Structures are given as structure tokens and as C-alpha cells.
Amino acid sequence: MPKIYDRTYFDRWYRQENLGIGSRQALMRKARLAISTAEYYLGRPIHNVLDIGCGEGVWQPVLKAERPKISYLGLDSSEYVVERFGRTRNIRLATFGQLGELRFDEGFDLIVCSDVLHYVRTPELKRGLRGIAEQLQGVAFLELFTADDALAGDTDGFIARSPRWYLSTFREAGLISCGSHCYLGPHLTAAVATLEVPMLW
């Protein structure tokens, strides 16, 4: 049966100390890393963030605490999430693959997709990545786990792909690794030094 991302799912994986995924402190470190990397390459403060597969939008208050004036948009396939947090955290209903067709009024300085891609089937993943690359003005924080990682947490539906597969697929879409789950889009790759993005050589 397909996974159901309802309140029971989020209660199990995000609100139980013995099973919970991550902590607020860890999330704050990730957010600061993503923000600082994007601002380093953009050369200015970030103005907006797109959070794909955002779940209950836990990145939203953390990002707002760091950059109160940013515009945040979350996308998730869970009807429960949109019903409960859609208005307060600006979350809309969409799947990862729909990014291949969805377009917004402006590009995004930071795109976040955390703990999602290793559950997405290949055709949908490739469609969505093209959309990310086209709408990315700064840096994408694409946190994921590969076949080489020791995965802790929800293994239901986990797709074990190699690191080489991900890097090659990202590069095909126009995304280049700059380290620590961060990727540059086509707008920035031509403006960086060679050793900042080793995949270029």
C-alpha cells in the first residue's frame, strides 16, 4: 500500500524522542548552513525560499527566525499537511514531479528538499529536478541518503541509489554540488572558481 503522510505518520517520526528524526538544534544548523551558502554565492541576503516535500513546514519558523523578512513557500503531497498548516505556514499541495510543470512569478534564492529524494521514483525525480534547476537563482539544499549511507529512521519505500547516480542525475538537470548537500544551479555555476565545484573538472 502507498505511504500515507497523515498526522499519525508525523507523530511517529517527528514527535517521539526514541524514534524522532533530528532535533530542532540540528535543523537550525542545517538552515544556517543553507542560508549562509546561498548568501555566499549570491553575494546578498536571501529573499525567498521554496521548500519541496516540506512536511509540516518545520523549516519555516527556523528560516523566519534567521531571516524574518524572507518569503517562504512550502509544497507537499500530504492533504493533512495542507489542511493543518497550509494557511499558517504557506504550504500548497503538490508532488515532487509536478515541479516539472509548476512555475512561479519569480525564481528562488534557496530551494530546500530535505529527506525526500530517496523516496521518489526515478521518472518523477528527474521531472522535478528539471523544475528545480529552472527556478533556482541561488543554492538548492538537497539532503538525501544513498546506498552507501547507514539510514536511520523511515526505511519504508527507501530507494537505494549510488552517490555516483545522484551526482550524475543532478548534473544532467543542471545542478552542481558545492558540498554539504548544497547545489548550484545554472545561474551561478559559471561564476565560481573551479575548486569550489569539483564536479566541473
Side-chain angles (χ1 to χ4, degrees):
M1 293 181 63
K3 291 171 69 171
I4 299 174
Y5 293 96
D6 56 8
R7 182 165 186 165
T8 301
Y9 176 88
F10 288 97
D11 283 345
R12 177 183 181 189
W13 292 111
Y14 292 89
R15 282 186 276 277
Q16 291 188 43
E17 286 189 17
N18 60 328
L19 291 174
I21 300 172
S23 66
R24 183 171 176 82
Q25 289 74 24
L27 178 56
M28 289 174 65
R29 291 194 299 272
K30 292 177 189 179
R32 288 169 180 160
L33 168 68
I35 290 169
S36 61
T37 304
E39 293 182 343
Y40 170 79
Y41 284 105
L42 286 168
R44 60 167 173 78
I46 61 171
H47 301 312
N48 58 7
V49 178
L50 175 64
D51 188 356
I52 305 160
C54 64
E56 294 180 328
V58 293
W59 277 70
Q60 192 260 11
V62 175
L63 290 165
K64 286 281 190 179
E66 294 293 320
R67 298 292 183 272
K69 295 182 179 180
I70 64 165
S71 171
Y72 173 93
L73 172 61
L75 301 177
D76 201 89
S77 62
S78 167
E79 293 183 1
Y80 150 77
V81 161
V82 175
E83 181 178 344
R84 185 175 182 193
F85 295 101
R87 181 172 296 180
T88 58
R89 294 185 176 173
N90 196 30
I91 300 173
R92 302 178 192 172
L93 191 68
T95 66
F96 186 85
Q98 286 176 318
L99 284 170
E101 294 78 41
L102 283 174
R103 293 298 178 268
F104 303 93
D105 293 337
E106 57 183 350
F108 293 92
D109 294 337
L110 174 62
I111 295 180
V112 173
C113 186
S114 179
D115 195 21
V116 172
L117 294 178
H118 42 255
Y119 301 116
V120 179
R121 297 293 175 186
T122 297
E124 182 181 4
L125 187 147
K126 290 187 175 183
R127 288 198 307 273
L129 286 177
R130 287 194 296 271
I132 288 176
E134 288 182 18
Q135 298 173 90
L136 180 62
Q137 300 296 321
V139 166
F141 181 81
L142 308 178
E143 182 184 23
L144 61 91
F145 298 96
T146 73
D148 291 356
D149 297 311
L151 180 66
D154 180 13
T155 59
D156 182 20
F158 176 76
I159 301 171
R161 302 181 177 108
S162 71
R164 182 181 296 274
W165 186 93
Y166 276 111
L167 290 174
S168 174
T169 301
F170 289 167
R171 191 172 187 182
E172 278 181 26
L175 301 169
I176 302 296
S177 173
C178 58
S180 298
H181 297 301
C182 293
Y183 297 82
L184 303 174
H187 292 284
L188 289 178
T189 50
V192 297
T194 304
L195 288 179
E196 288 183 273
V197 284
M199 284 295 293
L200 289 178
W201 51 270

